[in-house]
């Protein structure tokens, strides 16, 4: 709040690892939550490094918002 940051951009990779893209990261950090998303997130391992990949569940139109379920507890 002191730095003027109004949101946080956290992604839990596993039990021990959370990625914080609040101050750095790519545009994917702005993908919004939706209860009926058009994408899903999956953590994959490439050369012993975990990566977050966003897959589409359906065709996504031009200017359509990309969303996935954050799976936060209610």
């Amino acid at each position: 709040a002191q730095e003027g940051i109004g949101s946080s951009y956290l992604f839990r990779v596993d039990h021990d690892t959370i990625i914080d893209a609040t101050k750095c990261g790519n545009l994917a950090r702005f993908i919004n939550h939706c209860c009926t998303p058009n994408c899903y997130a999956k953590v994959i391992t490439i050369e012993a490094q975990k990566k977050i990949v966003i897959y589409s569940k359906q065709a996504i139109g031009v200017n359509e918002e990309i969303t996935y379920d954050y799976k936060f507890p209610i």
Side-chain angles (χ1 to χ4, degrees):
Q2 292 175 346
E3 295 179 22
I5 299 171
S7 298
S8 62
Y9 302 96
L10 305 174
F11 190 102
R12 179 176 293 282
V13 173
D14 58 31
H15 182 70
D16 299 315
T17 307
I18 297 173
I19 295 174
D20 182 355
T22 302
K23 291 187 177 181
C24 63
N26 62 31
L27 290 175
R29 70 179 182 247
F30 299 116
I31 297 173
N32 284 322
H33 164 80
C34 182
C35 293
T36 55
N38 57 16
C39 295
Y40 64 96
K42 185 174 181 180
V43 177
I44 64 171
T45 302
I46 299 175
E47 296 180 3
Q49 288 191 326
K50 292 184 178 180
K51 307 285 184 180
I52 302 165
V53 182
I54 306 296
Y55 293 96
S56 66
K57 296 171 75 173
Q58 61 201 42
I60 299 173
V62 175
N63 296 322
E64 183 179 350
E65 183 177 17
I66 296 172
T67 59
Y68 69 95
D69 184 353
Y70 290 176
K71 298 186 180 181
F72 287 152
I74 296 176

